[in-house]
Amino acid sequence: MVFAAAVAAIATATVPVTALAANGKTSCGHASWYALKSKTASGEMMNPAAMTAAHKTLPLGSKVKVTNLRNSKSVVVRINDRGPFIKGRLIDLSKGAAQKLGFVGAGHTRVKIEPADGSGSRGCA
């Protein structure tokens, strides 16, 4: 019973905003958005208006700064889901984040992802 509680505490721990969030690197690629009404990989319900995102490998709970390379708009999002599952996509953003970045109508855009604390490299990896 104690072991199960310890595992649950570790599984729900929030990762601090550090270079670990984006593995200390800046990367560029394609982003899309989604607005499902289901549970995310973190166990919370998807909130399309929240500043959240899905990434294949970044730790759940970590925060990254996403910049739309077409208009230079940026937003900080929290990784709470896994994906994207479409070849060539780097990150799936909530609809709210996509609205702030200005690409809801287009459906996808090219972005730069870096640690939210600004500790990443300047260029794209």
Side-chain angles (χ1 to χ4, degrees), residues 30 32 34 41 53-58 60 79-86 89-93:
H30 292 282
S32 54
Y34 71 123
H55 193 276
K56 289 180 185 173
T57 59
L58 292 177
L60 295 175
I79 305 299
N80 73 337
D81 206 1
R82 292 294 174 220
F85 300 108
I86 296 174
R89 300 271 167 88
L90 182 61
I91 193 167
D92 270 343
L93 298 161

Side-chain angles (χ1 to χ4, degrees), residues 11-37:
T12 59
T14 302
V15 177
V17 181
T18 64
L20 173 66
N23 300 323
K25 298 178 185 173
T26 297
S27 56
C28 294
H30 292 282
S32 54
W33 64 270
Y34 71 123
L36 303 175
K37 296 277 186 169

